[in-house]
Amino acid sequence: MTTAPVLSLNNIHKAFGGVVAIQDFSLELFPGEIVALVGDNGAGKSTLIAIVSGLHRPNSGEILLDGETVSLSDASSARSRGIEVVYQDLALANDQPVYMNMFLGRELTRKPLGLLDKARMRSETQTMLDQLDVHIPSARSKVRDLSGGQRQGVAIARATHWASKLILLDEPTAALGVAETAKVEEIVASLKERNLAILIVSHSLDQVFRLSDRICVLRRGEQIGVRSTPETDKNEIVSMITGVHA
Amino acid sequence: MEAVLSRIKRLDLQRSVIYFGFLAIFLFFAATLHNDGFLTTRNLTNIVLQTAPATIMAIGLVFALSAGEIDLSFGSIVAVSALAAAVAMQNGPMVFGVVAGLGAGVLIGAFNGVLVAYLRLPSFLVTLATLGLFAGIARSMTDLRSIPVINDAFTGFFGSGKLLGVPSLVIWTGAAVAIGHVLYRYSRFGAHVLAVGDNARAAQVSGIKVPRIRLLVLTLCGATAGLAGLLYAGRLQAAKYTLGESDLMTVIAAVIVGGTALNGGKGSIIGALLGSLMMGMLNNGLILMGLKVSDQMIVRGVIILVAVAVSLRDTRR
Ligand SMILES: Nc1ncnc2c1ncn2[C@@H]1O[C@H](COP(=O)(O)OP(=O)(O)OP(=O)(O)O)[C@@H](O)[C@H]1O
Ligand SMILES: [Mg+2]
């Protein structure tokens, strides 16, 4: 691969008071690849996602987007640079219709009064969902009335629509059944074709091996290593996660 | 499928509670009181005139509740605004009164808003405290005295005047409802208010400035209470510290019955209008029925309780 990395993390360090959550973490993400971030509870995965999405500032280290050093001071600054996040709790407004969630904070308006262009938001929402093959009763449906898989689909479709560089997914299938998990995996896999870089946090090694191109292992904030998925196996990853050699 | 069907039924019911309630009360009084003048144009117009201040405050409250906040202080804001306007017009033109009255409302609302949005104090407690605080200030402003408003331009504009035969209070109500409805349903601000009340974290990670929305809805509440104060002063041609004192229950009931959720993310301006008119019809009808004041209060309390219970069963989940 000769393309330049979309995201480079160099020697990222983050501590909460005395607790070191991430130390000396470095990783490059390339367009069109899926990298899985694995590790036990408390390893620092969500903290890393929060750093890249602008919710936490690292204590030291640098973040480069397309080779340029950036400072991500809040969620808006990450979003405006083409980084989208599918949070573990999805960050959807349950009593609002799907189309308003799709455009949350970026509502389309119509001249001359600047009023909401609901018709266009609805039709664009339908297009986004169709493209990812997410089926919901209607763009007008309230999020509350959707199944867990449908909500996840909506959250991923939203991220996909607005992301131009990078999508971060924090345990996107943790709350889903077998069929819905398969569906979400299918959607995530299809994002590669859009040339986006994808960083996915997952506790399911089966899933990680099905989806990812590379696997990055964290243990208690320490980066244990990065492996190319076809060149490793579950035993190796498990021993990296736990620190116990089989 | 069944779940979906029952969901649809429930949604429809929730939307129509206020329409049914409104219609039922109207038909009941129309049937029982048609000999007592309930149905006359004059009486029906009177109901709209009397409810104008409450309707306008209800609009502010819909925004606050939808954003997950509440304002309990608007009754005191009404009194302070009306008194400020009356005092300002003792030696000055109408514009002094308007600026003083609306200004007082906006400032008090913003004061509530800053405490809630930036110090993250619960709006319930902040506005309960400012309700008392400004009730006291209203009393001390003029030593409990009532201040007459003799500015004809003002009393016409905010009270007894007419435009093309339509009473000014009807126009104020119509304009406030129309603007409120468009702002609520068709503006980005309205969408952000609903998002903040629905899921503040989701709103925040979506780039919505959550504290700013909280500040704005409470300031809007203050502004609507200020306008209500001007309307009271215009209609009664006087201002007194008691103005707005009894509106708290009426306005909250109107908003809840009108389909606005107590915990944010859901509401209706048209519903609040109907809710407010329903409260007005209730007052009017019970008086026409010849009930003693104490009985009126009891009957009204019971009906509000039932209406709120029915509405909340459908808005709360
Ligand atoms: N805001 C915070 N304040 C203090 N400590 C924190 C904070 N966020 C995370 N930590 C600590 O940092 C460490 C890493 O937490 P993190 O949430 O990133 O783990 P994780 O790998 O996502 O775990 P899980 O698999 O359970 O989601 C933990 O020790 C946690 O207690
Ligand atoms: Mg986590």
Side-chain angles (χ1 to χ4, degrees):
Chain A
M1 210 174 328
T2 51
T3 42
V6 180
L7 174 76
S8 311
L9 299 171
N10 293 335
N11 311 107
I12 299 287
H13 184 89
K14 175 75 186 175
F16 296 103
V19 182
V20 176
I22 296 286
Q23 52 181 324
D24 205 23
F25 186 94
S26 300
L27 182 69
E28 291 188 331
L29 288 182
F30 294 89
E33 77 165 344
I34 300 181
V35 174
L37 190 58
V38 299
D40 263 335
N41 296 116
K45 306 179 296 294
S46 295
T47 304
L48 199 69
I49 296 272
I51 288 171
V52 180
S53 57
L55 298 181
H56 286 328
R57 310 278 302 262
N59 301 111
S60 64
E62 43 168 20
I63 304 174
L64 284 81
L65 274 177
D66 284 335
E68 235 182 86
T69 308
V70 292
S71 142
L72 304 171
S73 52
D74 56 22
S76 304
S77 73
R79 275 160 30 116
S80 68
R81 293 186 161 91
I83 301 172
E84 287 290 321
V85 191
V86 178
Y87 293 95
Q88 195 162 354
D89 67 2
L90 301 183
L92 297 171
N94 285 329
D95 277 318
Q96 312 310 315
V98 169
Y99 71 89
M100 287 306 293
N101 272 286
M102 281 293 193
F103 288 89
L104 203 59
R106 300 185 258 222
E107 297 81 4
L108 300 179
T109 54
R110 221 175 13 198
K111 283 176 179 152
L113 292 178
L115 297 180
L116 296 177
D117 193 345
K118 294 190 176 186
R120 215 172 107 224
M121 287 193 274
R122 276 196 291 268
S123 72
E124 289 195 12
T125 295
Q126 198 58 56
T127 313
M128 295 179 212
L129 294 172
D130 289 347
Q131 278 174 0
L132 290 185
D133 206 25
V134 175
H135 299 287
I136 61 166
S138 139
R140 280 192 159 94
S141 306
K142 287 186 175 180
V143 169
R144 184 183 291 289
D145 296 333
L146 303 180
S147 73
Q150 288 170 327
R151 288 180 205 192
Q152 194 66 249
V154 167
I156 295 176
R158 176 170 70 180
T160 309
H161 179 73
W162 297 107
S164 56
K165 294 195 171 84
L166 174 63
I167 297 184
L168 312 169
L169 300 125
D170 199 353
E171 302 195 39
T173 59
L176 302 184
V178 178
E180 295 202 308
T181 297
K183 177 76 211 177
V184 167
E185 284 181 10
E186 199 181 297
I187 294 172
V188 173
S190 76
L191 299 182
K192 289 174 71 162
E193 294 158 23
R194 296 169 182 248
N195 233 27
L196 294 165
I198 292 153
L199 185 65
I200 179 171
V201 170
S202 175
H203 280 290
S204 156
L205 285 189
D206 287 326
Q207 175 170 71
V208 165
F209 275 85
R210 278 194 297 271
L211 278 179
S212 69
D213 300 300
R214 289 188 295 148
I215 303 173
C216 172
V217 182
L218 272 178
R219 192 199 311 148
R220 292 203 220 112
E222 206 179 318
Q223 188 172 22
I224 303 302
V226 183
R227 297 285 181 274
S228 163
T229 309
E231 291 162 18
T232 184
D233 57 33
K234 270 192 213 165
N235 285 336
E236 185 187 15
I237 298 298
V238 168
S239 67
M240 286 167 80
I241 291 173
T242 57
V244 178
H245 295 278
Chain B
M1 192 64 207
E2 264 174 40
V4 171
L5 279 179
S6 76
R7 190 73 79 187
I8 288 168
K9 273 185 205 150
R10 191 148 31 135
L11 273 181
D12 274 348
L13 183 69
Q14 177 202 321
R15 286 235 168 112
S16 35
V17 162
I18 181 60
Y19 297 97
F20 281 133
F22 183 83
L23 210 64
I25 290 186
F26 179 80
L27 291 177
F28 175 77
F29 285 139
T32 54
L33 293 173
H34 67 274
N35 290 330
D36 300 292
F38 177 78
L39 275 181
T40 58
T41 322
R42 199 191 135 110
N43 187 52
L44 294 179
T45 313
N46 249 333
I47 293 176
V48 180
L49 301 186
Q50 273 158 6
T51 51
T55 303
I56 285 167
M57 287 186 272
I59 292 168
L61 191 59
V62 170
F63 280 91
L65 286 177
S66 298
E69 306 297 339
I70 193 164
D71 185 0
L72 301 174
S73 67
F74 54 79
S76 298
I77 301 180
V78 167
V80 171
S81 293
L83 285 167
V87 169
M89 281 186 295
Q90 278 180 323
N91 306 307
M94 165 179 166
V95 61
F96 281 25
V98 176
V99 170
L102 279 183
V106 168
L107 284 179
I108 300 174
F111 179 68
N112 286 332
V114 166
L115 294 180
V116 169
Y118 297 102
L119 299 186
R120 278 319 280 139
L121 302 174
S123 53
F124 178 82
L125 293 179
V126 166
T127 59
L128 191 59
T130 50
L131 170 70
L133 174 62
F134 288 99
I137 288 177
R139 280 161 174 74
S140 68
M141 272 169 90
T142 60
D143 273 337
L144 306 185
R145 269 180 299 123
S146 159
I147 307 293
V149 175
I150 43 172
N151 186 314
D152 288 341
F154 183 89
T155 54
F157 201 69
F158 291 103
S160 53
K162 286 188 178 183
L163 184 69
L164 304 172
V166 186
S168 72
L169 288 172
V170 174
I171 296 175
W172 279 113
T173 303
V177 169
I179 294 170
H181 180 70
V182 169
L183 205 58
Y184 191 71
R185 294 291 306 268
Y186 299 101
S187 79
R188 294 190 75 201
F189 172 66
H192 293 179
V193 165
L194 286 163
V196 168
D198 193 320
N199 185 343
R201 205 188 80 85
Q204 185 229 324
V205 299
S206 302
I208 295 170
K209 296 195 172 60
V210 176
R212 210 189 68 144
I213 296 291
R214 292 184 174 133
L215 170 65
L216 285 176
V217 292
L218 286 166
T219 306
L220 184 64
C221 273
T224 57
L227 178 56
L230 296 183
L231 297 179
Y232 272 127
R235 182 158 61 90
L236 304 174
Q237 309 194 346
K240 203 177 178 209
Y241 68 91
T242 50
L243 289 180
E245 219 171 32
S246 59
D247 286 336
L248 186 59
M249 179 175 82
T250 316
V251 173
I252 292 181
V255 168
I256 300 302
V257 170
T260 296
L262 266 174
N263 49 6
K266 204 184 315 194
S268 163
I269 299 290
I270 306 295
L273 166 69
L274 292 177
S276 175
L277 290 176
M278 188 174 119
M279 295 301 148
M281 279 197 305
L282 209 53
N283 282 340
N284 180 271
L286 295 177
I287 292 170
L288 289 183
M289 284 172 97
L291 262 61
K292 285 190 300 189
V293 174
S294 52
D295 292 343
Q296 281 177 34
M297 289 172 75
I298 294 171
V299 174
R300 206 161 49 116
V302 170
I303 293 181
I304 289 176
L305 212 51
V306 171
V308 167
V310 173
S311 314
L312 281 186
R313 223 192 41 168
D314 298 298
T315 23
R316 182 182 52 201
R317 291 197 221 180

